[in-house]
Each structure stands twice: as C-alpha cells, then as structure tokens.
Amino acid sequence: GSGVGAAGLGAAGVLGSPIRPGAAKAGAAAQQHREGYIKDRLAQLEAELDNAHTREGALEADARRVEVMRRDLAVAKARIEDLEKDYMKLDVLGHMAEHGSEDDKLRAAWETASQFKKRYMEHKAELDTIRLAAARMQTQLEEANKLLHEEHRKRFRLEDETTRLGMETARIKDLETLLNK
C-alpha cells in the first residue's frame, strides 16, 4: 500500500485520524468481491482449458482416422488396379478349349464377355489419352492466359508512357513557342 497503517487516512484525509468502521468493511467487501471474481474467472479459464484439451484430443483422433482412411484408400486403389490387370489376363475361352468344354451357351457368354473386355480396354485407353490431353490443354491454356495478362499489362504501361510522353512533347512545344516569341 501507501505505507499508511491502520491509523491511516481518515475521512478527512489527515494522518493519524481513525478509520471509520464502515470504510474498513467496504474495503474488505471490495477485497472479497475481487477474490470472488478472480476465483470465478479462474474456474472459467480452467473449464475452457479442459474444453480445449478435449477438442485437441478429438482433433488428434480425427487426424489418425483420416490417416488410416488414406492408407485404406491407397490399398483399395492398388487392389482395384490389380483386379483390373487380373481381369485383363483372364482367358476363360482358352481354358475352356484346353479342357474340352462343349457348353455352347457358356462359350457364347464368354465370347460376349471377351468382346466387352476388349472394348472396355480400348475405351479405357482412349479415355486415359483424352484425360492426358485435357490436362495438357489446361496447362497450355493457363500459360497462354498468363502470357496474355502480362502482354496486356505491358500494353497498358506503354499506352500510359505514350500518353505521358505526348503530354510532355506538347508542353515542350508550348515552351518552345513561348521562347521563340
């Protein structure tokens, strides 16, 4: 405090005068109010901290689940690719010919499936080619837009410079005219 003891400043502010009992009670009440506020605020901050720890734990758990899902996705994609390769290698008609199967309906079904398989592979290859071409065209388009934007910027700068130089030339001609008079 101020170095003033219990017999500090009284109501008149004179050293040595007694403190009124009401003022001491008011000071004690104010102190209790501040302590209560601090305790309440501390409890509130502790609750917020607990809540933050809970959310952090949930986010970490979610991050682990996302990582597991990414690994599962990579495994599934690899499995799909393996199955497609296995499907393309499948030669049921050759197997049927080796074992002498005479079921004409089964043979016809597998011939149709083989035709679909061949068409699937052709269309898949064509689609992959189209996707690559589209990606290449997109890249070229972005590059062309970038160059065009840069060209517009240069043109506007040159137009501004031309305008500035035209004004400067006109001003010089005006000065020249004044000097020649």
Side-chain angles (χ1 to χ4, degrees), residues 78-90:
R79 180 69 180 139
I80 288 170
E81 191 174 307
D82 289 343
L83 289 173
E84 281 184 345
K85 287 178 184 176
D86 288 345
Y87 174 72
M88 293 305 128
K89 292 178 186 175
L90 186 65

Side-chain angles (χ1 to χ4, degrees), residues 110-168:
W110 277 108
E111 285 175 357
T112 303
S114 294
Q115 291 171 359
F116 283 130
K117 180 170 77 170
K118 181 181 175 189
R119 286 177 36 202
Y120 168 80
M121 287 307 294
E122 290 170 355
H123 292 296
K124 185 176 187 295
E126 187 176 329
L127 182 60
D128 290 343
T129 303
I130 291 170
R131 283 183 180 148
L132 287 172
R136 229 181 355 260
M137 284 190 281
Q138 181 67 33
T139 303
Q140 289 172 348
L141 180 62
E142 288 171 0
E143 185 64 29
N145 278 337
K146 185 174 146 185
L147 292 173
L148 183 62
H149 181 69
E150 191 63 35
E151 198 63 36
H152 278 101
R153 225 185 294 160
K154 284 180 186 176
R155 191 182 99 221
F156 288 136
R157 272 197 309 258
L158 289 173
E159 286 176 358
D160 287 346
E161 185 67 17
T162 302
T163 303
R164 187 186 65 77
L165 290 174
M167 291 172 59
E168 196 172 313

Side-chain angles (χ1 to χ4, degrees), residues 3-19:
V4 178
L9 295 176
V14 179
L15 279 175
S17 33
I19 296 179

Side-chain angles (χ1 to χ4, degrees), residues 40-109:
D40 289 344
R41 184 66 179 138
L42 181 61
Q44 183 183 22
L45 290 173
E46 286 174 344
E48 287 178 20
L49 181 62
D50 289 341
N51 187 18
H53 285 302
T54 303
R55 285 185 310 208
E56 181 182 20
L59 289 174
E60 288 174 354
D62 288 345
R64 286 190 297 271
R65 281 193 300 255
V66 166
E67 188 58 37
V68 168
M69 291 173 134
R70 284 185 178 153
R71 280 191 303 239
D72 291 347
L73 178 63
V75 168
K77 283 182 177 181
R79 180 69 180 139
I80 288 170
E81 191 174 307
D82 289 343
L83 289 173
E84 281 184 345
K85 287 178 184 176
D86 288 345
Y87 174 72
M88 293 305 128
K89 292 178 186 175
L90 186 65
D91 184 18
V92 174
L93 292 174
H95 184 71
M96 287 175 70
E98 287 177 11
H99 291 37
S101 177
E102 296 297 324
D103 189 352
D104 290 336
K105 287 184 181 180
L106 185 59
R107 177 176 285 290

